[in-house]
Amino acid sequence: QVQLVESGGGLVQPGGSLRLSCAASGIIFNIYTMGWYRQAPGKQRELVATINSDGTIRYLDSVKGRFTIVRDNAKNTVFLQMNNLKSEDTAVYYCNAALGLTMAWGQGTQVTVSS
């Protein structure tokens, strides 16, 4: 059974930083594309960042230069380092594991950027 458990969300002031973690179990982690998505109230879920099994990375344009996705295959964990956070980054952030047509989601973690 695939399980993705996120942590690290919270309330932060504009310009601050947060680091999200997603611990995976039940999958052969190193062959999966891991990703972070987010969904703000009233908006569709959007891709924030993904990292393939070969290390290829993709970012949402609005987070380039501020967010960094990293995977640790030894610990079955993917991280999202978020710097210089803005109010528009406020959303529920979801971890995703994808392999072909197989996809799994975490329960989500709330990130709120507010003064």
Side-chain angles (χ1 to χ4, degrees), residues 57-99:
I57 292 173
R58 174 185 175 190
Y59 291 107
L60 178 69
D61 283 347
S62 63
V63 308
K64 287 180 180 177
R66 301 187 298 120
F67 290 12
T68 303
I69 187 170
V70 175
R71 66 188 299 158
D72 185 338
N73 289 336
K75 296 182 178 180
N76 286 7
T77 302
V78 61
F79 303 95
L80 185 68
Q81 177 67 42
M82 305 185 294
N83 298 329
N84 190 21
L85 282 160
K86 304 176 180 181
S87 58
E88 51 263 42
D89 296 317
T90 295
V92 178
Y93 284 70
Y94 296 91
C95 180
N96 174 271
L99 181 66

Side-chain angles (χ1 to χ4, degrees), residues 9-22:
L11 173 64
V12 64
Q13 292 185 344
S17 298
L18 283 175
R19 186 192 194 208
L20 305 183
S21 300
C22 171

Side-chain angles (χ1 to χ4, degrees), residues 14-37:
S17 298
L18 283 175
R19 186 192 194 208
L20 305 183
S21 300
C22 171
S25 60
I27 59 173
I28 303 174
F29 182 82
N30 63 346
I31 66 174
Y32 274 70
T33 292
M34 299 301 300
W36 290 95
Y37 290 69

